[in-house]
Amino acid sequence: MNFDSLRIFVKVVEKQNFSRAAEELNLSQPAVSLHIRHLEEEFDTSFIIRSPKHVRVTRAGELFYQKAKQILYAVDETRLELQALKQEVSGLLSLGASYTIGEYFLPKQLVMYTKEYPKVQTQVKINNTREIIEALIDEKIDVGLIEGSISSSDVDVQVFMEDQLVLLVPNDHSLARKKVATQADLENQVWIFRESGSGTREQSDQIIQELGIQVKRYYEFSSSQAVKEAVMAGLGMSIVSGLIAKREVFLKECKALAISSKPHKRLFSLITKKGRPKSRAAQFFEDMILQSPELEQQSKR
C-alpha cells in the first residue's frame, strides 16, 4: 500500500465515478482501476461495486475511506510540521476568491503578504461564491474568500469584513440626482444582475424580494466589471458592492445611491475546510486577513 493509492481511492469514493476521479488526478482510468484493485487484493476484500454509470461503496469500503482520509491528513500534517522545523515560510499557497473580493480587495492584501513572505508561491482562482466553496471542499484551494451565505458542514467560516451595497445608476438616469432610492423608485426598472451562484446576485435577489419590487427586464453578466460597464453604458441599474463602485463614482462616470431607508450590508468571509491541516503559508495568510485594517475598522463601529 502507498499513499498515492489511498489518495486515488478517496477521490473515487468522493466523485463516485472512475472517469471523473481519473480526470481530476490527471491519470488514465485504467491506472485508477489498477490502484483500486491492488488495494482490494492487499486487504482481501471488496471496497467498491462497479457499474457503468457510477460506483457503490461497500461497508468495508466506507470504513477504509474514513481510515484513508485520517491517514492522509496525518501524513499531510506531519509534512507541514517537518517543514515548520525549518523556520521558513515557503511553498505553494492556493487561494480562491469571489469576484468582488478577488478583484477589489485581495490584490492589496497580497502585496503585503508577499513582502512578508517572499518565498511563498501564490496562485489565485477567481470565480463566483458557489464555485469557490466547491473548490475548497474538493481541496483544489487552501483558503477561500467569499461573499454571501454558506451552509456546508465541511467548511469553517470566519467573517473578516462588512460590505455596504449600493444602487449604481447611469449619470443620465432619472434617479441620478437622488441620494436614496425608495421602493417606488425601483419599480418596473431595467436591471443588470450577476449570474446565479454569485454572492452579489444572492444579495440582489434578497433585496428585490424583500422590497417586493417588480422587475421590468434584466440582463445577466458574469463579472463585476461587465456589470459596471453595462450600467455606465445606460443599459440599466444594478445593486453592487460599494467597494467595486468607488473609482467610477469618484470619476463621476456613474452615480451610487443608498437603497431604501435602511442600509443593506453583507459579510465577507474567510473559509477553510474542516479537519484539513494548514500549511504555515496558509495559516499566516489567514492571520493577516483576519487582522486586516478593514476588519479592525468594522469592529470599532
Side-chain angles (χ1 to χ4, degrees):
M1 182 181 69
N2 60 56
F3 296 135
D4 286 340
S5 294
L6 291 182
R7 293 187 193 280
I8 290 168
F9 175 76
V10 167
K11 184 64 69 174
V12 169
V13 172
E14 290 178 344
K15 294 301 175 183
Q16 298 186 329
N17 185 284
F18 277 84
S19 297
R20 288 198 293 271
E23 183 179 349
E24 286 210 10
L25 294 166
N26 292 318
L27 296 172
S28 66
Q29 186 173 333
V32 170
S33 298
L34 185 61
H35 276 277
I36 302 300
R37 189 178 307 118
H38 284 166
L39 284 173
E40 291 178 325
E41 290 172 355
E42 182 174 350
F43 289 91
D44 192 26
T45 189
S46 175
F47 292 142
I48 289 176
I49 299 174
R50 298 152 177 83
S51 71
K53 293 185 178 181
H54 57 84
V55 300
R56 185 163 64 86
V57 184
T58 64
R59 288 182 63 187
E62 288 284 357
L63 174 63
F64 191 73
Y65 168 72
Q66 296 299 331
K67 296 298 184 182
K69 287 186 68 175
Q70 291 173 14
I71 292 169
L72 292 173
Y73 276 153
V75 170
D76 289 342
E77 192 169 33
T78 301
R79 182 179 292 111
L80 295 174
E81 289 176 0
L82 289 173
Q83 290 175 353
L85 292 177
K86 300 177 183 178
Q87 295 299 313
E88 183 179 86
V89 182
S90 60
L92 177 66
L93 174 62
S94 182
L95 303 175
S98 60
Y99 284 104
T100 298
I101 298 172
E103 294 174 346
Y104 298 94
F105 173 81
L106 183 57
K108 291 180 180 178
Q109 306 302 314
L110 287 179
V111 170
M112 294 186 289
Y113 182 81
T114 302
K115 286 180 180 178
E116 190 72 24
Y117 309 109
K119 293 188 177 181
V120 175
Q121 177 65 44
T122 306
Q123 294 179 346
V124 180
K125 174 186 178 70
I126 297 179
N127 213 318
N128 65 42
T129 291
R130 181 189 300 164
E131 295 293 332
I132 295 302
I133 294 171
E134 290 178 2
L136 182 79
I137 293 173
D138 288 343
E139 299 188 3
K140 294 179 180 177
I141 58 173
D142 302 313
V143 181
L145 302 174
I146 63 164
E147 59 213 68
S149 60
I150 178 171
S151 57
S152 174
S153 59
D154 295 325
V155 176
D156 284 321
V157 183
Q158 299 181 81
V159 173
F160 68 88
M161 185 175 168
E162 193 176 69
D163 182 40
Q164 178 79 45
L165 295 169
V166 299
L167 180 71
L168 205 63
V169 301
N171 283 330
D172 60 355
H173 197 278
S174 59
L175 299 179
R177 292 188 177 184
K178 301 191 70 171
K179 292 184 178 180
V180 179
T182 65
Q183 179 179 350
D185 291 329
L186 302 178
E187 285 288 350
N188 293 307
Q189 296 282 358
V190 178
W191 290 85
I192 314 296
F193 292 137
R194 282 287 307 280
E195 80 287 359
S196 179
S198 155
T200 303
R201 175 60 180 272
E202 178 187 4
Q203 293 293 320
S204 297
D205 288 346
Q206 287 181 3
I207 291 171
I208 287 174
Q209 184 176 8
E210 177 186 316
L211 296 177
I213 298 166
Q214 184 68 35
V215 175
K216 180 180 180 181
R217 186 169 67 254
Y218 69 90
Y219 300 88
E220 283 189 7
F221 290 89
S222 60
S223 80
S224 299
Q225 187 61 38
V227 167
K228 290 191 296 183
E229 292 292 338
V231 170
M232 289 187 292
L235 194 59
M237 61 172 57
S238 184
I239 296 172
V240 302
S241 162
L243 189 66
I244 78 165
K246 282 183 178 179
R247 180 178 180 276
E248 287 77 9
V249 172
F250 177 76
L251 295 175
K252 299 183 178 180
E253 296 175 340
C254 54
K255 297 291 179 67
L257 288 68
I259 308 165
S260 71
S261 57
K262 72 171 187 177
H264 291 274
K265 299 179 180 180
R266 62 176 176 176
L267 302 176
F268 287 167
S269 302
L270 182 147
I271 58 174
T272 52
K273 186 173 181 180
K274 283 185 178 176
R276 185 183 181 189
K278 296 176 186 176
S279 67
R280 296 184 77 207
Q283 184 61 64
F284 288 143
F285 175 80
E286 178 180 323
D287 293 343
M288 185 196 72
I289 293 297
L290 296 178
Q291 295 167 11
S292 65
E294 287 84 357
L295 183 65
E296 292 177 5
Q297 290 171 12
Q298 294 295 342
S299 65
K300 293 176 182 177
R301 293 181 180 179

